[in-house]
Amino acid sequence: MSRGSFVFSPTALRSLAVDAEMLERQRHSRQAGSYRGYMLKKEARDRAAERPSVSAAAPPAVCRDVVVQNALYTGDVEVLQQLFPRGARVNMVIEPQGGDLRWTTDGEGLWSLTYEQELTTPLHITASRGFADCLRLVLQRGADVDLAPGGITALHEACENCQPECTRLLLLHGANANAVSEDGLMPLHFCSLPESLECAKYLLQYGAAINGRSLEEDDTPLHAAARNGLVEHVEMYLRYGAQVDRPNSEGLTALNAACAQPQERSLLDRYFRVCQTLIGAGANVCTLDQDKRTPLHRACRNANPDVVELLLANGASVNDMDYGGDAPMHNILKVVCFKLSHQPERVVRALLNYGSIRVWPGNLPMVMKHCCESPRTIEVLLNAYSRLKVNDKWVEAVPPESYKAHQYFYDSVFALAQTPRSLQHLCRCRIRIFLDGRVLKAIPKLDLPTFLKNYLLLDYRGYVH
């Protein structure tokens, strides 16, 4: 409709003016309301940014509720769902009563024996026991994944107790793979059992420092794995770039640490494989710790014959002295009576075949006294001498019970007081002196029967002649 066709009466014009004024007021009102709403939202956002979250600001609560503790320690996920509904507070410290007594003071000079209190959390309890469903529930309820009231995080405990699924869950929810305990250890240092291999894998995948050091000893994860005889851990750490010859605060490399660890008879092969892996990766077999002890000194002290032979075959020095003046031979002879099941005679034989120094003849009675329960060790040692001055001191050095148990051998030794060594033995000594350090290289190449080669290499016969 054109403007000229519309009838503009005074009443119509006033009505249009009123409508226009009302529309203008409504437009201004909407603009003002929109601006005020924007300012309120902005203020709310600013306050939220300035104000810490409730979980970060509020300290963990102390929980002494037996029902909660029982549900956590038994892994009852259904009860935990009821105890921890959405929005429930899950950052709490639990104080279970330990089994050890300790002295405590009340601050007024009075001391009393009380049961030691351990500090833990729902995360620690579920992670250390492998209750993955319970752990997942607690994490979903917003538990602080790096809370460490007892000095270690839940991730440390999951690794220590070989719980790979719990380790993965914790890392997936942001746990620090390099968290340091109050003792200065990272989670990788806690992977100390063969069953913890999967835990170590997850840690490395989530950024654990392969050459991270403990605070006090400066141990790397490779030190920890070698010290505990963990072959697969050592192999994996080397693949991830572990430094094979990095020393700790005592000057021990991973190879030193593996050789230094006391080893039960059943674990000798594990430690041999660890040393074999480290040497294959380029470990220095002649490295010295702060006491100038080499891996060979340590291996002899622990009477691991396979490791001793491995070190010698790879260039270990057989006659290096430590600060105390002891050579590897001294170290093995000091522990023979404690390591009878370890075949200490093999260690003594290997050292002599690689040119080790011998015991001063005047000290042989003392050696017999300390090694009397291992006739083979004494046999190998005595066969390194062309002449022996056997006297009453030798007889007195052997306890009656040992003599009775090995009478045939000791009778052959004591008979040397009236009889010189046999011509066959003297020939053996002469050949060994001539070869001087080349015994193990030359004798296997000689065109001789096997039993003669073994004889030249100080094989055991059960008597001396």
Side-chain angles (χ1 to χ4, degrees):
M1 181 183 295
S2 66
R3 182 180 177 86
S5 64
F6 191 81
V7 180
F8 285 92
S9 64
T11 303
L13 289 175
R14 283 195 300 272
S15 178
L16 288 173
V18 172
D19 291 341
E21 185 178 354
M22 289 178 62
L23 290 173
E24 187 67 10
R25 283 200 302 268
Q26 290 176 359
R27 184 175 67 82
H28 282 293
S29 177
R30 284 196 302 270
Q31 289 179 349
S34 175
Y35 179 76
R36 182 171 179 272
Y38 167 78
M39 291 302 295
L40 289 174
K41 292 177 181 177
K42 181 176 183 302
E43 183 180 2
R45 287 196 301 269
D46 292 342
R47 288 181 178 177
E50 294 174 359
R51 184 176 64 250
S53 64
V54 175
S55 60
V62 176
C63 174
R64 297 185 177 89
D65 192 328
V66 177
V67 175
V68 174
Q69 294 187 25
N70 287 341
L72 290 169
Y73 280 108
T74 58
D76 194 332
V77 67
E78 294 181 358
V79 174
L80 289 177
Q81 286 175 340
Q82 299 174 8
L83 295 173
F84 297 119
R86 292 189 180 278
R89 190 173 187 180
V90 293
N91 282 329
M92 57 181 59
V93 174
I94 298 172
E95 298 180 346
Q97 183 171 282
D100 297 329
L101 288 169
R102 66 174 179 179
W103 289 100
T104 58
T105 177
D106 59 4
E108 298 180 358
L110 296 176
W111 290 79
S112 61
L113 271 175
T114 59
Y115 283 101
E116 184 175 358
Q117 296 293 317
E118 301 172 358
L119 298 180
T120 186
T121 71
L123 276 184
H124 289 70
I125 296 171
T126 53
S128 64
R129 284 160 176 77
F131 300 147
D133 291 337
C134 298
L135 177 63
R136 187 180 292 107
L137 172 68
V138 177
L139 288 169
Q140 290 172 350
R141 297 296 186 263
D144 184 352
V145 75
D146 286 324
L147 192 62
I152 61 175
T153 67
L155 185 59
H156 285 97
E157 290 212 1
C159 293
E160 183 179 22
N161 291 280
C162 309
Q163 303 294 347
E165 180 59 21
C166 293
T167 299
R168 187 188 68 83
L169 281 173
L170 291 166
L171 291 167
L172 194 62
H173 283 78
N176 183 3
N178 294 308
V180 179
S181 70
E182 65 178 4
D183 293 326
L185 302 175
M186 292 181 289
L188 269 181
H189 292 106
F190 277 72
C191 295
S192 57
L193 295 172
E195 296 79 12
S196 66
L197 181 64
E198 291 299 317
C199 297
K201 285 181 181 179
Y202 285 128
L203 289 170
L204 292 170
Q205 290 170 6
Y206 279 84
I210 188 60
N211 290 307
R213 295 187 160 213
S214 61
L215 293 184
E216 294 185 6
E217 294 85 6
D218 272 351
D219 278 344
T220 65
L222 188 62
H223 283 94
R227 185 176 291 113
N228 289 286
L230 306 181
V231 184
E232 293 179 321
H233 289 66
V234 169
E235 292 173 346
M236 181 173 67
Y237 293 167
L238 291 171
R239 289 197 301 269
Y240 271 84
Q243 297 177 355
V244 69
D245 276 333
R246 189 168 186 174
N248 65 7
S249 60
E250 296 179 354
L252 296 173
T253 64
L255 182 60
N256 290 82
C259 294
Q261 186 68 13
Q263 302 157 20
E264 297 294 333
R265 177 71 182 90
S266 60
L267 300 179
L268 293 181
D269 183 63
R270 265 175 52 181
Y271 282 94
F272 166 71
R273 291 165 58 203
V274 165
C275 294
Q276 194 176 43
T277 302
L278 292 169
I279 292 173
N284 182 3
V285 299
C286 296
T287 183
L288 300 175
D289 62 19
Q290 62 183 11
D291 295 319
K292 294 189 67 175
R293 295 191 181 100
T294 65
L296 185 59
H297 283 96
R298 303 283 190 171
C300 288
R301 191 76 176 181
N302 286 312
N304 191 326
D306 289 328
V307 172
V308 169
E309 292 171 359
L310 174 70
L311 294 169
L312 290 168
N314 283 276
S317 179
V318 73
N319 288 320
D320 279 352
M321 300 282 186
D322 62 16
Y323 270 136
D326 286 340
M329 180 63 81
H330 297 107
N331 281 355
I332 179 59
L333 292 179
K334 288 179 179 179
V335 301
V336 167
C337 59
F338 307 109
K339 302 286 186 177
L340 296 176
S341 64
H342 290 55
Q343 298 181 301
E345 65 274 8
R346 284 183 54 196
V347 176
V348 175
R349 179 186 177 192
L351 293 173
L352 289 171
N353 284 335
Y354 274 93
S356 171
I357 58 173
R358 298 173 300 173
V359 178
W360 180 60
N363 283 340
L364 286 175
M366 183 182 299
V367 173
M368 291 189 63
K369 180 178 180 180
H370 288 286
C371 304
C372 60
E373 291 299 321
S374 179
R376 281 190 168 188
T377 299
I378 297 175
E379 177 188 348
V380 171
L381 194 61
L382 296 184
N383 283 337
Y385 299 83
S386 59
R387 297 176 60 189
L388 293 171
K389 294 182 179 181
V390 178
N391 52 40
D392 291 342
K393 289 184 178 179
W394 291 53
V395 178
E396 295 169 359
V398 181
E401 57 274 15
S402 297
Y403 172 77
K404 185 177 180 180
H406 311 286
Q407 183 175 350
Y408 180 74
F409 170 76
Y410 284 117
D411 282 345
S412 71
V413 174
F414 300 152
L416 296 178
Q418 295 85 26
T419 308
R421 302 303 296 265
S422 68
L423 181 60
Q424 181 179 331
H425 172 72
L426 294 176
C427 291
R428 171 170 61 182
C429 290
R430 189 60 188 168
I431 293 173
R432 290 176 61 86
I433 292 172
F434 176 77
L435 293 175
D436 185 31
R438 296 170 294 157
V439 170
L440 280 174
K441 291 183 179 180
I443 289 180
K445 298 178 181 178
L446 296 176
D447 188 16
L448 294 172
T450 301
F451 78 93
L452 279 180
K453 292 180 183 179
N454 292 338
Y455 180 76
L456 291 173
L457 293 174
L458 305 179
D459 199 9
Y460 326 109
R461 292 193 166 191
Y463 61 92
V464 296
H465 61 99

